[in-house]
């Protein structure tokens, strides 16, 4: 800086800060020292020729005032901090973690770790400066307490809270540096097992569930056990009682050898089993026949859709072929009122033969008794006691459609 030198003149620079290369020269180089950015420095130059003097003043502004509004800071992890660059109106270039729009004058950041942010500013005079700010991030302490377990429905205290819900619970505490400390604890709720089972039985039978016995009515039987995880498990059995089939035994059936006999079971059931076995599986009605006279018995087990069973007994009396020769007739009787052998009749039997009529004659051929209904003579004639004697009888035996008469004598004793 300076002026054009003139012959015969002397020059002298005056400065209040910094240094000048040639204090007695018309122009020289100035070296500023310890000047703040944007500060103005005034230089004075005196020009003299012995008779007159001219003073020159030169003013210079060095750089510009710039910076970041916030100082170097210490924050807690998760907190935000606002940074503002100055002067306004400059061009800004920010760099560092979390900077989204580097050209913005204002930045709101939340660094996750300690870092240094750089700002480059360019003013209207194209002066470029760099500045920096340090952000120290204090991390919170995280303490994981031993996990807890409980059974469903059994609350426990976890971090001051009484609960029976699975999850990770936390509580925040303030450290001496003002940052939060996080305490974590996990709670696992173990399940209780509740199971339901259905059982059924037929009334009259016996069903034992645990130590409970069911006979005629249903109900519920529940027991609580301790599972492998230490929690209670409840198992319930719902019992339903079904009415079994109720079928009456039929009257005794009669038949002849080599003649078909029908055994009719109650219809409408799901299951039929005959014993002895027959040649028809699961049949309600079967036909049997026998080649030998005698007494026979069949059992029929009848089951419904609930697997309840009733047993029916079929009694069968099989006669030999119908014949008057099978009829037994006494040759004497004693109508004395003692209740023993007081009437004359065919000996009762369960044969196929049928007595159609009874006629009694005395020794002279006079008919003294005849009946087709009351087939027994009590030893009286016209209401009077008949005398002891030998009497003739005619008995009509019916086999099918061919009646046969049996003639003989009987002795009346008194």
């Amino acid at each position: 800086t300076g002026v054009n030198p003139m012959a015969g003149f002397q020059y002298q620079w005056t400065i209040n800060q910094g240094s000048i290369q040639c204090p007695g020269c018309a122009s020289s180089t100035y070296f500023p020292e310890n000047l703040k950015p944007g500060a103005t420095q005034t230089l004075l130059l005196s020009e003299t020729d012995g008779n007159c003097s001219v003073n020159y003043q030169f003013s210079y502004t060095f750089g510009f005032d710039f910076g970041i509004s916030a100082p170097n800071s210490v924050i807690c992890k998760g907190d935000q901090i606002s940074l503002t660059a100055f002067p306004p109106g400059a061009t800004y270039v920010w760099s560092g973690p979390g900077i989204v729009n580097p050209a913005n004058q204002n930045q709101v950041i939340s660094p996750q770790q300690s870092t240094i942010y750089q700002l480059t500013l360019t003013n209207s005079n194209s002066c470029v400066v760099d500045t920096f700010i340090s952000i120290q991030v204090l991390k919170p302490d995280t303490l994981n307490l031993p996990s807890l377990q409980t059974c469903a429905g059994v609350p426990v205290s976890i971090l001051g809270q009484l609960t029976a819900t699975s999850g990770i619970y936390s509580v925040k505490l303030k450290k001496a540096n003002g940052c939060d400390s996080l305490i974590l604890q996990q709670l696992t709720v173990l399940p209780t097992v509740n199971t339901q089972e259905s059982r059924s039985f037929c009334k009259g039978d016996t069903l034992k569930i645990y130590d409970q016995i069911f006979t005629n009515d249903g109900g519920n039987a529940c027991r609580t056990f301790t599972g492998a995880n230490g929690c209670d498990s409840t198992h319930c059995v719902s019992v339903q009682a079904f009415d079994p089939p109720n079928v009456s035994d039929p009257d005794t059936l009669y038949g002849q050898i080599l003649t078909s006999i029908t055994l009719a079971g109650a219809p409408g059931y799901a299951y039929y089993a005959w014993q002895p076995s027959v040649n028809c599986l699961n049949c309600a009605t079967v036909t049997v026949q026998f080649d030998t006279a005698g007494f026979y018995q069949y059992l029929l087990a009848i089951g419904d859709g609930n697997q309840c069973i009733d047993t029916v007994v079929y009694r069968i009396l099989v006669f030999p072929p119908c014949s008057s020769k099978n009829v037994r007739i006494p040759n004497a009787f004693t109508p004395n009122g003692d209740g023993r052998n007081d009437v004359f009749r065919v000996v009762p039997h369960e044969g196929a033969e049928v007595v159609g009529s009874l006629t009694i004659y005395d020794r002279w051929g006079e008919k003294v008794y005849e009946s087709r209904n009351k087939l027994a003579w009590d030893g009286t004639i016209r209401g009077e006691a008949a005398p002891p004697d030998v009497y003739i009888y005619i008995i009509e035996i019916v086999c099918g459609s061919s009646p046969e008469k049996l003639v003989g004598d009987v002795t009346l004793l008194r």
Side-chain angles (χ1 to χ4, degrees):
T1 186
V3 296
N4 292 325
M6 297 181 65
F9 284 79
Q10 295 180 351
Y11 297 90
Q12 181 64 49
W13 290 91
T14 302
I15 60 176
N16 57 11
Q17 189 173 356
S19 62
I20 194 163
Q21 186 178 26
C22 181
C25 298
S27 60
S28 181
T29 301
Y30 172 69
F31 299 95
E33 295 178 2
N34 300 321
L35 295 178
K36 294 182 179 180
T40 300
Q41 179 65 43
T42 301
L43 307 179
L44 298 177
L45 174 62
S46 175
E47 181 184 55
T48 61
D49 63 355
N51 296 318
C52 61
S53 176
V54 178
N55 293 322
Y56 298 92
Q57 179 175 309
F58 302 91
S59 295
Y60 299 95
T61 300
F62 295 91
F64 58 94
D65 190 16
F66 67 93
I68 301 174
S69 61
N72 292 336
S73 302
V74 178
I75 65 172
C76 299
K77 185 177 181 179
D79 290 349
Q80 291 182 336
I81 185 170
S82 179
L83 305 178
T84 302
F86 65 87
T91 301
Y92 314 97
V93 179
W94 295 86
S95 63
I99 299 296
V100 178
N101 296 308
N104 288 354
Q105 180 185 4
N106 300 315
Q107 300 288 339
V108 178
I109 57 175
S110 180
Q112 300 301 302
Q113 58 187 8
S114 297
T115 188
I116 295 176
Y117 289 87
Q118 178 180 347
L119 172 62
T120 300
L121 298 95
T122 303
N123 69 359
S124 59
N125 294 325
S126 299
C127 291
V128 180
V129 294
D130 291 321
T131 186
F132 302 87
I133 185 172
S134 174
I135 306 296
Q136 182 182 359
V137 179
L138 301 179
K139 296 182 179 180
D141 292 331
T142 300
L143 177 61
N144 285 296
L145 298 180
S147 61
L148 298 177
Q149 289 184 341
T150 188
C151 299
V154 182
V156 295
S157 178
I158 180 169
L159 297 180
Q161 181 179 353
L162 192 64
T163 182
T165 302
S166 293
I168 298 177
Y169 294 81
S170 63
V171 64
K172 290 183 178 180
L173 301 175
K174 286 290 185 182
K175 295 175 59 178
N177 60 13
C179 296
D180 291 335
S181 290
L182 188 63
I183 300 177
L184 301 175
Q185 192 168 27
Q186 183 175 8
L187 175 63
T188 301
V189 178
L190 302 175
T192 57
V193 180
N194 296 317
T195 58
Q196 183 75 34
E197 179 186 355
S198 296
R199 298 281 298 276
S200 63
F201 75 105
C202 304
K203 292 182 179 180
D205 293 342
T206 298
L207 177 64
K208 184 176 182 181
I209 304 295
Y210 305 126
D211 58 352
Q212 190 170 345
I213 297 177
F214 295 86
T215 54
N216 290 316
D217 297 308
N220 289 300
C222 297
R223 292 295 182 274
T224 299
F225 307 94
T226 299
N229 60 5
C231 297
D232 289 341
S233 297
T234 301
H235 183 71
C236 288
V237 179
S238 177
V239 178
Q240 185 175 6
F242 294 109
D243 289 321
N246 186 10
V247 183
S248 300
D249 292 342
D251 293 334
T252 300
L253 301 177
Y254 301 94
Q256 295 184 12
I257 60 174
L258 302 178
T259 303
S260 296
I261 301 173
T262 299
L263 308 181
Y269 288 95
Y271 169 80
Y272 298 90
W274 293 89
Q275 183 64 36
S277 61
V278 295
N279 59 358
C280 184
L281 297 177
N282 204 35
C283 293
T285 299
V286 297
T287 300
V288 296
Q289 65 178 11
F290 308 91
D291 56 6
T292 303
F295 181 80
Y296 297 88
Q297 182 171 287
Y298 274 79
L299 299 179
L300 172 61
I302 297 177
D304 59 14
N306 300 317
Q307 298 183 347
C308 295
I309 296 176
D310 190 19
T311 301
V312 183
V313 179
Y314 291 82
R315 299 173 180 82
I316 307 168
L317 186 58
V318 177
F319 302 112
C322 184
S323 173
S324 60
K325 296 179 180 180
N326 296 328
V327 176
R328 293 184 298 163
I329 302 173
N331 58 8
F333 73 109
T334 57
N336 54 10
D338 63 357
R340 298 175 60 188
N341 200 23
D342 283 334
V343 296
F344 170 71
R345 62 180 178 182
V346 174
V347 177
H349 71 296
E350 293 181 337
E353 299 79 10
V354 176
V355 179
S357 64
L358 171 62
T359 304
I360 305 295
Y361 296 89
D362 61 16
R363 64 173 54 245
W364 295 281
E366 182 181 357
K367 183 189 298 183
V368 297
Y369 178 80
E370 182 180 23
S371 176
R372 290 186 172 272
N373 298 314
K374 187 179 179 182
L375 303 176
W377 181 38
D378 60 3
T380 61
I381 300 175
R382 292 181 289 277
E384 299 291 335
D389 203 346
V390 176
Y391 294 86
I392 307 301
Y393 62 81
I394 300 176
I395 299 175
E396 185 181 57
I397 302 298
V398 180
C399 281
S401 60
S402 301
E404 182 179 355
K405 292 183 178 181
L406 300 180
V407 180
D409 61 75
V410 61
T411 302
L412 188 154
L413 303 174
R414 289 194 183 275

